[in-house]
């Protein structure tokens, strides 16, 4: 995400101009938008035209509209963001007050205006525009006939490819069909890795499975890399790490990231840091329950007593449409920070962001 312009007044009202550069930026934008905001962006509008002979035709024109946000729709799989609202600025194609849906596009700037820019929203912009906050972990979670290729970014867990191949059972006296199907499966997974993983950014590729599937796949992968003289795979061989998982489904990613060996390998990534913070909370809840609090009321009381060392909170709470409720969560975050505590805002699309909020007390 690029920050092109920022104009925020002392009363926290103002506007920013941003340009999304990759799919994850749409998720950040979704978290910035609230009902009642003003959004100005380039969009396509279908307009009717009447010729001098009286015939009516229609055409699609690109224009810039400014709408008051009414509905926000985010597709997490496709990372597409649509914003519906009423037009609030004069336009030659769209009447004032007319409804229009803007689909935000990559590499096209938009301007977002708010009556109040709070600390959580400003932190989100800072995080989105930080070039170091990229997908530095990839994972291939697999079992025979099924593989999920996932990118773990600081903000979300993105499913980039799902490979499914029917593997026939071994027959007595002949394994030919079984082995051919396995080879097709491994080839499809290898192509998915080459297509979706940016080896210049990714620091570690976790290959996880039950049994020996991962070992057989890695053996195939580098055998083919040598045969095809694939320099990109051979040069990045040290980045691959084999891990055990209970299945090849995406939900196994959480247990993979909790593995101590994986945590040590990924010690400098945000993904591992958030998973570790959550695990530390569970351990404290088990061994020192008097120091671990969860639920809004109990956490607020701990904050009032200046007793919070680390606050864990889901970004889902900041998308609440009731201003008073949202302000309550923002106030909690600000209080913890002002009193020297650490705040970790977990993404609801990240493997670590399933719980709402909890805190460690000092």
């Amino acid at each position: 995400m690029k920050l092109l312009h920022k104009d925020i007044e002392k009363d926290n009202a103002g506007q920013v101009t941003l340009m999304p550069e990759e799919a994850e930026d749409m998720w950040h934008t979704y978290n910035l938008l609230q009902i009642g905001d003003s959004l100005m962006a380039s969009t396509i509008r279908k307009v009717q035209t009447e010729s001098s002979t009286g015939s009516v035709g229609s055409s699609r024109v690109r224009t810039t509209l400014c709408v008051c946000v009414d509905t926000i729709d985010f597709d997490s799989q496709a990372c597409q963001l649509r914003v519906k609202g009423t037009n609030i600025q004069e336009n030659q194609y769209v009447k004032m007050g007319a409804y229009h849906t803007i689909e935000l596009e990559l590499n096209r700037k938009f301007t977002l205006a708010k009556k109040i820019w709070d600390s959580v929203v400003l932190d989100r912009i800072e995080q989105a525009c930080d070039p170091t906050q990229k997908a530095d972990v990839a994972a291939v979670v697999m079992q025979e006939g099924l593989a999920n290729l996932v990118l773990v970014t600081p903000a979300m867990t993105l499913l980039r490819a799902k490979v499914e191949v029917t593997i026939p059972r071994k027959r007595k006296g002949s394994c030919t069909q079984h082995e051919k199907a396995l080879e097709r499966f491994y080839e499809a997974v290898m192509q998915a890795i080459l297509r979706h993983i940016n080896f210049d950014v990714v620091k570690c590729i976790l290959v996880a499975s039950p049994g020996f599937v991962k070992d057989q796949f890695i053996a195939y992968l580098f055998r083919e890399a040598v045969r095809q003289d694939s320099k990109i795979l051979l040069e990045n061989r040290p980045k691959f790490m084999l891990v055990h998982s209970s299945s090849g489904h995406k939900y196994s990613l959480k247990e993979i990231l909790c593995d101590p060996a994986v945590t040590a390998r990924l010690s400098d990534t945000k993904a591992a840091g958030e998973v570790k913070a959550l695990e530390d909370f569970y351990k404290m809840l088990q061994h020192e329950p008097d120091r671990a609090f969860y639920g809004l009321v109990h956490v607020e009381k701990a904050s009032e007593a200046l007793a919070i060392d680390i606050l864990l909170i889901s970004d889902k709470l900041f998308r609440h449409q009731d201003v008073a409720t949202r302000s309550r969560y923002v106030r909690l975050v600000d209080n913890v920070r002002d009193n020297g505590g650490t705040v970790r805002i977990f993404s609801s699309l990240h493997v670590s962001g399933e719980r709402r909020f909890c805190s460690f007390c000092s």
Side-chain angles (χ1 to χ4, degrees), residues 2-70:
K2 271 187 184 175
L3 177 61
L4 303 178
H5 179 72
K6 184 178 179 181
D7 180 19
I8 298 176
E9 304 294 335
K10 289 182 179 179
D11 62 353
N12 289 329
Q15 63 183 32
V16 297
T17 301
L18 299 162
M19 182 186 290
E21 296 178 300
E22 53 188 42
E24 188 186 352
D25 292 338
M26 292 301 180
W27 170 247
H28 289 301
T29 306
Y30 172 58
N31 282 281
L32 293 175
L33 286 166
Q34 288 177 273
I35 291 171
D37 291 347
S38 299
L39 176 69
M40 180 186 287
S42 176
T43 184
I44 301 291
R45 179 76 174 186
K46 188 176 180 181
V47 296
Q48 287 192 333
T49 55
E50 187 174 342
S51 68
S52 56
T53 59
S55 60
V56 177
S58 63
S59 60
R60 292 163 64 83
V61 297
R62 182 168 286 280
T63 185
T64 299
L65 285 182
C66 185
V67 300
C68 179
V69 178
D70 183 59

Side-chain angles (χ1 to χ4, degrees), residues 234-300:
L234 295 173
E235 288 172 0
N236 288 281
R237 185 168 188 163
K239 292 183 179 180
F240 286 84
M241 180 180 182
L242 300 183
V243 193
H244 173 78
S245 69
S246 57
S247 79
H249 295 281
K250 185 184 168 185
Y251 61 76
S252 295
L253 187 61
K254 186 174 180 181
E255 68 178 79
I256 295 164
L257 292 176
C258 289
D259 187 304
V262 174
T263 306
R265 177 76 177 267
L266 307 182
S267 58
D268 60 341
T269 68
K270 189 183 178 195
E274 291 194 346
V275 171
K276 185 178 184 302
L278 204 56
E279 287 303 304
D280 288 345
F281 175 79
Y282 291 147
K283 286 178 184 175
M284 185 174 284
L285 192 61
Q286 184 177 3
H287 300 296
E288 298 178 85
D290 292 343
R291 292 183 58 204
F293 289 83
Y294 55 91
L296 180 57
V297 174
H298 292 96
V299 172
E300 279 182 327

Side-chain angles (χ1 to χ4, degrees), residues 141-177:
V141 191
M142 62 196 309
Q143 61 190 45
E144 273 199 6
L146 173 67
N148 289 283
L149 193 154
V150 180
L151 294 180
V152 184
T153 79
M156 61 196 298
T157 306
L158 294 165
L159 178 64
R160 274 288 171 252
K162 186 174 185 178
V163 178
E164 290 183 284
V165 174
T166 303
I167 310 290
R169 292 182 180 180
K170 293 181 180 179
R171 296 186 179 277
K172 192 174 182 180
S174 174
C175 299
T176 309
Q177 295 301 316

Side-chain angles (χ1 to χ4, degrees), residues 2 75 92 123 131 138 156 180 193 197 214 230 258 290 294 301 303 312 326 338:
K2 271 187 184 175
D75 183 342
Q92 67 179 105
D123 283 348
M156 61 196 298
K180 283 184 177 177
I193 288 173
I197 293 179
K214 58 186 182 299
S230 175
C258 289
D290 292 343
Y294 55 91
K301 285 182 178 177
S303 176
L312 313 179
R326 188 182 190 282
D338 291 346

Side-chain angles (χ1 to χ4, degrees), residues 109-355:
K109 67 180 182 180
F110 66 87
T111 299
L112 179 63
K114 289 177 176 285
K115 293 176 181 176
I116 297 178
W117 288 86
D118 59 50
S119 61
V120 172
V121 176
L122 293 173
D123 283 348
R124 171 70 68 169
I125 292 177
E126 191 176 324
Q127 178 189 345
C129 297
D130 183 352
T132 63
Q133 301 281 333
K134 301 295 178 185
D136 50 6
V137 181
V140 181
V141 191
M142 62 196 309
Q143 61 190 45
E144 273 199 6
L146 173 67
N148 289 283
L149 193 154
V150 180
L151 294 180
V152 184
T153 79
M156 61 196 298
T157 306
L158 294 165
L159 178 64
R160 274 288 171 252
K162 186 174 185 178
V163 178
E164 290 183 284
V165 174
T166 303
I167 310 290
R169 292 182 180 180
K170 293 181 180 179
R171 296 186 179 277
K172 192 174 182 180
S174 174
C175 299
T176 309
Q177 295 301 316
H178 176 81
E179 289 172 356
K180 283 184 177 177
L182 269 182
E183 194 163 308
R184 285 199 309 274
F185 172 59
Y186 292 153
E187 173 65 22
V189 177
M190 183 177 84
Q191 293 305 319
I193 288 173
L194 291 170
R195 190 178 305 115
H196 296 288
I197 293 179
N198 182 351
F199 288 93
D200 294 331
V201 176
V202 170
K203 297 176 183 175
C204 181
I205 301 131
L206 306 172
V207 181
S209 77
F212 297 101
V213 177
K214 58 186 182 299
D215 306 88
Q216 293 166 359
F217 168 68
I218 286 294
Y220 171 87
L221 180 69
F222 290 107
R223 188 169 64 246
E224 284 298 300
V226 171
R227 187 179 70 81
Q228 299 176 18
D229 193 25
S230 175
K231 290 182 180 179
I232 192 167
L233 285 174
L234 295 173
E235 288 172 0
N236 288 281
R237 185 168 188 163
K239 292 183 179 180
F240 286 84
M241 180 180 182
L242 300 183
V243 193
H244 173 78
S245 69
S246 57
S247 79
H249 295 281
K250 185 184 168 185
Y251 61 76
S252 295
L253 187 61
K254 186 174 180 181
E255 68 178 79
I256 295 164
L257 292 176
C258 289
D259 187 304
V262 174
T263 306
R265 177 76 177 267
L266 307 182
S267 58
D268 60 341
T269 68
K270 189 183 178 195
E274 291 194 346
V275 171
K276 185 178 184 302
L278 204 56
E279 287 303 304
D280 288 345
F281 175 79
Y282 291 147
K283 286 178 184 175
M284 185 174 284
L285 192 61
Q286 184 177 3
H287 300 296
E288 298 178 85
D290 292 343
R291 292 183 58 204
F293 289 83
Y294 55 91
L296 180 57
V297 174
H298 292 96
V299 172
E300 279 182 327
K301 285 182 178 177
S303 176
E304 288 168 9
L306 311 183
I308 295 180
D309 182 30
I310 301 175
L311 174 70
L312 313 179
I313 186 166
S314 170
D315 63 2
K316 188 175 182 179
L317 299 173
F318 300 110
R319 293 196 295 275
H320 204 289
Q321 297 307 326
D322 180 59
V323 175
T325 304
R326 188 182 190 282
S327 299
R328 189 177 176 185
Y329 300 134
V330 173
R331 196 160 52 246
L332 174 63
V333 168
D334 289 343
N335 287 344
V336 172
R337 284 177 175 159
D338 291 346
N339 292 310
T342 302
V343 177
R344 284 187 175 271
I345 299 177
F346 285 40
S347 169
S348 54
L349 282 189
H350 195 279
V351 67
S352 60
E354 296 172 358
R355 297 299 176 97

